[in-house]
Amino acid sequence: MNLEQRIDAISALSRHLAEEKDEYLLAVQQRTYHNNQWFTIENQQYATRSIVSQLLNAQHLSQWLAPYNIPEKNIPKTVGMVLSGNVPLAGFRDLLFVFLAGHRCVIKLSEQDQYILPYFIRLLEKIDPATKGYFSIAEKLKGFDAVIAMGSNDNMRYFEAYFGRYPNIIRKNKHAVAVLDGTETQEALKSLGSDIFRYFGLSRRNISKLYVPENYDFEPLLEVLHEHKEIVLNSKYKNNFDYHYAIYIINRAKYLANGCIILREAEAIASPIANLHYQYYQNTTQLQADLKRQQEDIQLISTKINLNGLPTTPLGSAFQISLGDAESVETMQFLLKLSNSQNAD
């Protein structure tokens, strides 16, 4: 398949996911939820809608890929992919780019997300049988030329030891932060709430820590976040909330709570499920230095404040993935380098 044919197949998949009422897909989503109750039907459908709207637009893909000059007569490499299971369809973007670059994927699925992606692959093969040779799913990776792996920081040492001799992208577990100045509107705080609670806080793109000015008034924020109170109807989330709430009471720890999330002052960027860390800042100069020092651990910074060259996103846009963001560019450059090394051989 040439690039135009691959984009056409992706475009047809996008139309199917966006327009057709697919009863089998709903059954797959229900099976996924039965296997992993963090993956609600709503969150699976949100992930699918986001992929369709943000990644699968044929015109946008063609325009974005044009400068990369993907060779038409590329000899495909095989890219091993280790997918994480923190959120539904994690790793789909990397898989999409491998396909568009003309390489093959051998995929190690997460036990937490075993059913949706294989169904998408089957849909793509039904749309265009020529795509069949581009994807395979394996219990154990072998016969690969390069690797893209993602997972928890506990897995990083294993990944680096096992995959280090291959060309690789190994994505460590990062976290998102938000910077507030106390003048945010109620609508802005509502948008922030979506970035905190989406996927129960399991994504690298969820806001897990707030930076706030000294003497910040938390009451308006707590009131707005309480609008997400239905999240505690999920038993797994509720168990996390109750556990940490009890621990803080027993230890007489200082905290703020509103029935669906617990705020604690802490330096760590990562916060437990049902928790949100916060840290005071005295001035933006000190804040910028702190954020720059931790840049390798930060997925994104959400704020309306100008942070003097640090990349930021508006409040409420943490899950608006761009084809042109840093990870997309990194992945395509990596895949194009694989193509060029093969052609040089």
Side-chain angles (χ1 to χ4, degrees), residues 21 129 180 215 275 297 335:
K21 187 175 181 180
L180 307 179
N215 301 315
N275 286 246
D297 298 315
L335 296 169

Side-chain angles (χ1 to χ4, degrees), residues 46 178 180 183-198 206-207 210 216 219-230 258 276 302 314-320:
Y46 178 87
L180 307 179
T183 65
E184 289 77 17
T185 64
Q186 187 177 42
E187 286 303 312
L189 294 179
K190 284 182 179 179
S191 297
L192 172 63
S194 297
D195 288 347
I196 293 170
F197 289 107
R198 175 65 61 189
N206 282 113
I207 303 300
L210 304 177
Y216 180 80
E219 282 305 313
L221 175 62
L222 288 168
E223 289 180 10
V224 168
L225 295 185
H226 189 254
E227 295 182 14
H228 294 266
K229 58 185 179 296
E230 71 280 355
N258 64 359
L276 182 64
S302 184
L315 296 172
S317 64
F319 290 94
Q320 294 178 12

Side-chain angles (χ1 to χ4, degrees), residues 133-305:
Y134 285 89
F135 307 98
S136 62
I137 294 172
E139 287 294 320
K140 185 175 182 180
L141 295 187
K142 58 182 179 180
F144 52 85
D145 304 300
V147 176
I148 298 176
M150 59 195 73
S152 68
N153 288 347
D154 292 338
N155 293 332
M156 289 301 105
R157 185 176 300 176
Y158 165 78
F159 286 163
E160 288 167 358
Y162 190 74
F163 300 128
R165 63 192 179 95
Y166 300 93
N168 66 71
I169 294 177
I170 299 176
R171 301 200 195 283
K172 65 181 292 188
N173 196 19
K174 297 184 178 183
H175 301 276
V177 304
V179 178
L180 307 179
D181 68 2
T183 65
E184 289 77 17
T185 64
Q186 187 177 42
E187 286 303 312
L189 294 179
K190 284 182 179 179
S191 297
L192 172 63
S194 297
D195 288 347
I196 293 170
F197 289 107
R198 175 65 61 189
Y199 301 126
F200 302 104
L202 291 165
S203 171
R204 299 190 307 162
R205 306 185 75 86
N206 282 113
I207 303 300
S208 60
K209 181 176 181 178
L210 304 177
Y211 288 88
V212 297
E214 293 181 320
N215 301 315
Y216 180 80
D217 181 7
F218 282 98
E219 282 305 313
L221 175 62
L222 288 168
E223 289 180 10
V224 168
L225 295 185
H226 189 254
E227 295 182 14
H228 294 266
K229 58 185 179 296
E230 71 280 355
I231 197 169
V232 298
L233 297 177
N234 181 279
S235 60
K236 294 179 77 67
Y237 184 91
K238 181 69 159 55
N239 289 341
N240 277 268
F241 180 90
D242 289 346
Y243 170 79
H244 290 287
Y245 194 58
I247 291 295
Y248 299 151
I249 291 175
I250 291 170
N251 292 334
R252 298 183 179 180
K254 182 180 178 181
Y255 66 90
L256 300 167
N258 64 359
C260 61
I261 196 163
I262 305 167
L263 274 63
R264 290 201 67 215
E265 185 176 2
E267 291 189 3
I269 293 176
S271 56
I273 299 299
N275 286 246
L276 182 64
H277 288 170
Y278 67 86
Q279 183 174 336
Y280 294 107
Y281 64 88
Q282 295 179 346
N283 54 67
T284 55
T285 300
Q286 168 255 319
L287 172 62
Q288 289 162 12
D290 191 21
L291 292 172
K292 285 180 180 177
R293 177 177 55 83
Q294 302 179 89
Q295 245 182 321
E296 288 190 359
D297 298 315
I298 295 176
Q299 178 70 24
L300 61 89
I301 303 169
S302 184
T303 187
K304 67 173 186 175
I305 300 173

